[in-house]
Amino acid sequence: RSRFIAGLRATDGFTLIEILVVLVIIAIMTSAALYRITVTGVDRGLDIEGDRFCDVIAAATQQSGLEGRDLGLRFLPDQYEVVAYSAFTNEWRPLADEGNYERHSLPAGVHLSLEVEGKVTVLKPPADKDPVLPQVILSAAGDTTSYRVVLSREGSENTYTVEGMADGTLKVTRPGSKP
């Protein structure tokens, strides 16, 4: 009787070796799936950053029309922000108190290039006394400066391109897709 019970116990579960073999197979399959994603050239970080940029632009464009005030996009070498025009002071001011519009720094290794109305714009850090001036205007009337922003990652050929049309619409080209 004890031999019969002992025989059942030996076949009643999985051995440590069997469990380890299954874990190794799962790890290999997972790494193969991750490798395929990387090989296809999809840069999820760049995609997320581009989506965030598009969301900020779309919200600012809509807010400009709803509130009847001109907003602008100010680009720096590794940052961007939404600014608002004040007719009372006759100057542009950052919207620092509005969370989505405050100055946003790009992640390390991500670069931004800008073309305004077909001309390449050199982005440089502002001096302390430089006035806040946007490169792109989002007019309360719905008109927008035509622009093209390209987000790219250092060491990669992937780009996320956003083209702002004069009517305020956006044309987006994601990493890995063809324009």
Side-chain angles (χ1 to χ4, degrees), residues 3 9-10 13 33 38-39 41 59 62 66-67 72 78-79 81 94 113 117 119 121 143 149 157 160 170-171 176:
R3 286 184 188 170
R9 285 188 184 159
T38 307
V39 168
Q62 186 175 27
L66 290 173
E67 294 181 0
D78 58 350
Q79 302 171 335
E81 66 183 336
S113 62
E117 296 182 346
K119 297 178 184 169
T121 303
D143 300 331
V149 172
E157 293 181 15
Y160 190 107
L170 298 177
K171 179 181 174 189

Side-chain angles (χ1 to χ4, degrees), residues 76-124:
L76 302 168
D78 58 350
Q79 302 171 335
Y80 61 89
E81 66 183 336
V82 177
V83 295
Y85 180 72
S86 170
F88 298 113
T89 60
N90 196 28
E91 63 185 2
W92 292 90
R93 294 186 176 247
L95 293 174
D97 15 336
E98 299 186 33
N100 290 337
Y101 301 143
E102 65 189 8
R103 186 177 293 182
H104 177 71
S105 296
L106 297 172
V110 174
H111 301 288
L112 180 144
S113 62
L114 173 67
E115 289 179 21
V116 177
E117 296 182 346
K119 297 178 184 169
V120 175
T121 303
V122 177
L123 303 175
K124 55 186 175 181

